[in-house]
Amino acid sequence: MTANTPTSTSKRDRVHALMQRAQQDITQAFAELDGQATFRPHTWQRAEGGGGTAMVLEDGAVFDKAGVNVSAVYGKQVPPSLAKQHPQSAGQPFFATGLSMVIHTKNPYAPAFHANYRYFEVGDGTSDSNIWWFGGGADLTPNYAFEDDIHSFHSTLKSLCDRHTTADYNTFKTTCDDYFYLKHRREMRGIGGIFFDELSAVGDGDWAQDLAFVEDGLNTIVPSYLPLVARHKDDAYGERERQWQLYRRGRYVEFNLVYDRGTLFGLQTDGNIEAILMSLPPLVRWQFDYQPESGSPEAEMLSYLQPRDWC
Amino acid sequence: MTANTPTSTSKRDRVHALMQRAQQDITQAFAELDGQATFRPHTWQRAEGGGGTAMVLEDGAVFDKAGVNVSAVYGKQVPPSLAKQHPQSAGQPFFATGLSMVIHTKNPYAPAFHANYRYFEVGDGTSDSNIWWFGGGADLTPNYAFEDDIHSFHSTLKSLCDRHTTADYNTFKTTCDDYFYLKHRREMRGIGGIFFDELSAVGDGDWAQDLAFVEDGLNTIVPSYLPLVARHKDDAYGERERQWQLYRRGRYVEFNLVYDRGTLFGLQTDGNIEAILMSLPPLVRWQFDYQPESGSPEAEMLSYLQPRDWC
């Protein structure tokens, strides 16, 4: 916080308010594009402290399922897995807030999307903590490879990073490629994006600068993704494309249930199960030993599921 | 092996042959009931040694997906997770063979089914090993609770166990209840059955007796389950029942990808991915915060997903 932005609210409250504002802006923009279905709020409490609100739109004109969850939770003791990473936080109270969202489109030619921005702070909030970090990112999962879309998505994220000295697109892009990788399928979940565990290493960051990047990141969600949906939402498609979309969604489920740290952490720590599994697609298909026809657009998509330079 | 059953084949070959014979018998019985679709073989090799054949029937008249996989794999070193459980096996060569099967029916009133019988042996097979064990079990996953079906299934398995001094229904039933439990949903995957990690503790068992139980177990798969499918395959149903079935299958996926040791072991050890994920249903649905109507048959089913005495 710099001297010329005086405020009576705590850091954690400011970040939480930012997440809530972003949730409102994002759901409004998505509902407008859908034009048919609306987001329904689902508010949940956490026994140990805190809670959240999942806004979920189902079976719309444009979106099969769109979920945007904002939570703010706290507890008396930093969870063991985080205390191991940051020994100086062990045994201390903590606070965490974040926005996470997953979008599954109706039209198979429009990509699926995921974004997550989060803030973690050690302490009880009565005084400024110096153990805090921001994490997050955004990634795209198309069923068909439109190079213009992929370029556009990555360029928008690169511009975002380039506007902030605290961020580095190349590092975040590589982290994203590594993270969203299904080892057992030897393929990425989609075509990547950006991802960072700790925007600045603990003790190393400028809070206001990091917050400014996260705010910009949240504001970039709509312009990075929604134009791609608008471009493809009315593309003509048939049973073949729909079946391929449902099949590819199987990979999404496999990734989220087998690898995704947030999901597994939530399941292990008795998190709100509906908010955690909000990411799962509404309809999914598995087919034994399926291989798309050689030379088809479906087969072509597979070649895009390995790390590649997009900017 | 007792003195009056002389044979020139090794223990491992005898078990593998038994699994293969069971695969043939089982797929024949299931294909006959289906009457429309047939099992297609998919043979796979394992780089480290061995392989298997998955027999898969898809989109039949009675079965949406029926898969029966038999494998026999070997390697130079017992995998770390098993060596930890059995330190005397560390660093030694191993052999493992097993049959695993998953059935997803078309009619929502007919239950899904899973069974798995397996044999593990330490050594290179040139001489009789004294480190070996059998594991396995069978369990049922209905979408609607027909108490007659559940009684019949459990009674058949209890009779199986009662025929063998090496088996104990109550122990295996409790192990099954504990194993097929989705902690994050606080419910069992289905209504249980029997399950055992080691039929006899290593070094403690009579090989011929244990084999006799496993053979009987394999022979009990068809009579324990197929009559339940025959009973319900022509039950009238509509969109409501179908949607509930697809929704319940989501729990099947959640269990297999989050908890099932066989699945996770396979994914981590670069097993044949199609054979491992053969268990996943052909079509699955997730719906945010879905609760069946109070007093409905769907809501009633939920009360059966906690351990209960069935015999």
Side-chain angles (χ1 to χ4, degrees):
Chain A
M1 202 177 314
T2 56
N4 52 4
T5 54
T7 170
S8 61
T9 53
S10 64
K11 285 176 173 175
R12 55 180 65 178
D13 287 345
R14 285 179 60 194
V15 184
H16 185 208
L18 171 65
M19 300 290 177
Q20 290 179 305
R21 213 161 50 236
Q23 185 183 35
Q24 214 160 29
D25 295 346
I26 291 166
T27 52
Q28 195 182 322
F30 279 74
E32 267 171 27
L33 185 68
D34 192 83
Q36 176 181 296
T38 53
F39 284 86
R40 289 181 305 122
H42 173 85
T43 297
W44 51 273
Q45 303 290 321
R46 184 167 162 278
E48 246 213 285
T53 297
M55 300 286 292
V56 180
L57 178 158
E58 286 180 296
D59 202 18
V62 174
F63 301 107
D64 261 358
K65 188 177 188 181
V68 186
N69 183 50
V70 166
S71 64
V73 304
Y74 50 89
K76 288 182 181 155
Q77 292 223 329
V78 169
S81 59
L82 288 172
K84 207 187 263 181
Q85 279 174 52
H86 300 287
Q88 71 273 46
S89 73
Q92 294 197 58
F94 73 94
F95 170 86
T97 183
L99 176 148
S100 76
M101 63 183 287
V102 172
I103 311 291
H104 295 287
T105 56
K106 203 158 223 95
N107 195 305
Y109 286 113
F113 173 79
H114 159 256
N116 166 242
Y117 286 95
R118 56 192 181 272
Y119 174 67
F120 194 91
E121 191 186 283
V122 172
D124 62 5
T126 53
S127 61
D128 261 10
S129 169
N130 55 6
I131 309 184
W132 55 261
W133 66 91
F134 291 91
D139 69 288
L140 195 72
T141 308
N143 305 306
Y144 291 93
F146 296 104
E147 293 214 353
D148 283 357
D149 293 354
I150 308 177
H151 275 295
S152 152
F153 185 72
H154 273 277
S155 300
T156 307
L157 294 177
K158 184 174 187 304
S159 300
L160 159 69
C161 294
D162 289 350
R163 289 194 289 273
H164 299 266
T165 54
T166 192
D168 180 63
Y169 168 78
N170 288 325
T171 306
F172 295 175
K173 192 255 184 208
T174 303
T175 307
C176 188
D177 287 344
D178 292 346
Y179 182 75
F180 291 102
Y181 185 73
L182 287 89
K183 192 172 163 287
H184 65 276
R185 299 285 191 180
R186 297 176 209 277
E187 62 185 39
M188 288 165 59
R189 185 174 77 175
I191 57 82
I194 57 170
F195 188 76
F196 51 96
D197 250 339
E198 295 175 24
L199 179 55
S200 299
V202 169
D204 227 25
D206 178 304
W207 191 85
Q209 275 184 20
D210 283 5
L211 178 71
F213 173 72
V214 166
E215 182 165 8
D216 203 357
L218 287 162
N219 291 336
T220 302
I221 286 173
V222 168
S224 68
Y225 173 60
L226 220 52
L228 310 184
V229 181
R231 190 180 294 170
H232 293 289
K233 72 184 175 64
D234 299 318
D235 285 0
Y237 69 92
E239 198 53 21
R240 168 186 174 155
E241 291 91 339
R242 176 66 173 168
Q243 292 304 317
W244 172 245
Q245 177 191 44
L246 299 185
Y247 178 79
R248 290 304 307 171
R249 284 178 178 173
R251 300 293 205 270
Y252 215 92
V253 174
E254 290 175 25
F255 181 83
N256 286 19
L257 294 183
V258 176
Y259 300 104
D260 188 58
R261 287 199 297 258
T263 303
L264 297 179
F265 181 79
L267 296 184
Q268 284 157 11
T269 55
D270 242 357
N272 182 272
I273 195 66
E274 292 297 335
I276 296 164
L277 298 184
M278 189 185 75
S279 64
L280 299 180
L283 198 64
V284 185
R285 191 172 81 81
W286 275 274
Q287 184 174 344
F288 183 76
D289 202 28
Y290 175 70
Q291 303 289 344
E293 201 185 325
S294 172
S296 68
E298 291 80 14
E300 197 200 0
M301 181 66 227
L302 300 179
S303 68
Y304 285 81
L305 300 175
Q306 304 299 331
R308 192 189 285 206
D309 193 2
W310 288 109
C311 288
Chain B
M1 202 178 314
T2 57
N4 53 4
T5 54
T7 170
S8 59
T9 52
S10 65
K11 285 175 173 175
R12 57 181 63 178
D13 287 345
R14 286 179 60 194
V15 184
H16 185 209
L18 172 64
M19 301 289 179
Q20 290 180 305
R21 214 160 49 234
Q23 184 183 36
Q24 212 160 30
D25 295 345
I26 291 165
T27 52
Q28 195 181 323
F30 279 74
E32 266 171 28
L33 185 68
D34 192 84
Q36 177 181 295
T38 53
F39 283 87
R40 289 182 305 122
H42 173 83
T43 297
W44 50 275
Q45 303 290 322
R46 186 169 160 276
E48 245 213 284
T53 298
M55 299 286 292
V56 181
L57 178 159
E58 285 180 297
D59 202 18
V62 174
F63 302 107
D64 261 359
K65 187 179 190 180
V68 185
N69 183 50
V70 165
S71 64
V73 304
Y74 49 89
K76 287 182 183 155
Q77 291 223 328
V78 169
S81 59
L82 289 172
K84 207 188 261 180
Q85 278 174 53
H86 301 287
Q88 71 273 46
S89 73
Q92 294 196 59
F94 73 94
F95 170 86
T97 183
L99 176 149
S100 76
M101 63 182 287
V102 172
I103 310 291
H104 296 288
T105 56
K106 202 158 226 96
N107 195 306
Y109 286 114
F113 173 80
H114 159 255
N116 167 242
Y117 285 95
R118 55 191 182 273
Y119 173 67
F120 194 92
E121 191 186 283
V122 172
D124 61 6
T126 53
S127 60
D128 261 10
S129 169
N130 56 4
I131 309 183
W132 54 262
W133 66 89
F134 290 92
D139 70 287
L140 196 72
T141 307
N143 305 307
Y144 291 94
F146 296 104
E147 293 215 355
D148 284 357
D149 293 355
I150 308 177
H151 275 295
S152 153
F153 185 71
H154 273 277
S155 300
T156 306
L157 294 177
K158 184 173 186 306
S159 300
L160 158 69
C161 294
D162 290 350
R163 288 194 291 272
H164 299 266
T165 54
T166 193
D168 180 63
Y169 168 78
N170 288 325
T171 306
F172 295 176
K173 191 255 182 208
T174 304
T175 308
C176 187
D177 286 345
D178 292 347
Y179 182 76
F180 291 102
Y181 186 75
L182 287 88
K183 193 172 162 286
H184 66 277
R185 298 284 190 180
R186 297 176 210 275
E187 62 185 40
M188 289 165 58
R189 185 174 76 175
I191 56 83
I194 57 170
F195 188 75
F196 51 96
D197 250 338
E198 295 175 24
L199 180 55
S200 300
V202 169
D204 227 25
D206 178 305
W207 191 85
Q209 275 183 20
D210 283 6
L211 178 70
F213 173 72
V214 165
E215 181 164 9
D216 203 358
L218 288 162
N219 291 336
T220 302
I221 286 173
V222 168
S224 69
Y225 173 60
L226 220 52
L228 310 184
V229 181
R231 191 180 293 169
H232 294 289
K233 72 184 175 61
D234 300 319
D235 286 0
Y237 70 92
E239 198 55 20
R240 167 185 175 156
E241 291 91 339
R242 175 66 173 168
Q243 291 303 317
W244 172 244
Q245 177 191 42
L246 299 185
Y247 178 79
R248 290 303 307 170
R249 284 179 179 172
R251 300 292 205 272
Y252 215 91
V253 173
E254 289 175 25
F255 181 84
N256 286 21
L257 294 183
V258 175
Y259 300 104
D260 188 58
R261 288 199 296 259
T263 303
L264 298 178
F265 181 79
L267 297 184
Q268 285 159 10
T269 55
D270 241 356
N272 182 271
I273 195 66
E274 292 296 335
I276 296 164
L277 298 182
M278 189 186 74
S279 65
L280 299 180
L283 198 65
V284 185
R285 192 172 81 80
W286 274 274
Q287 183 174 345
F288 183 75
D289 201 29
Y290 174 70
Q291 302 291 344
E293 201 184 325
S294 172
S296 67
E298 290 79 15
E300 197 201 359
M301 180 67 227
L302 300 179
S303 68
Y304 285 82
L305 300 175
Q306 303 300 330
R308 192 188 286 207
D309 193 3
W310 287 108
C311 287

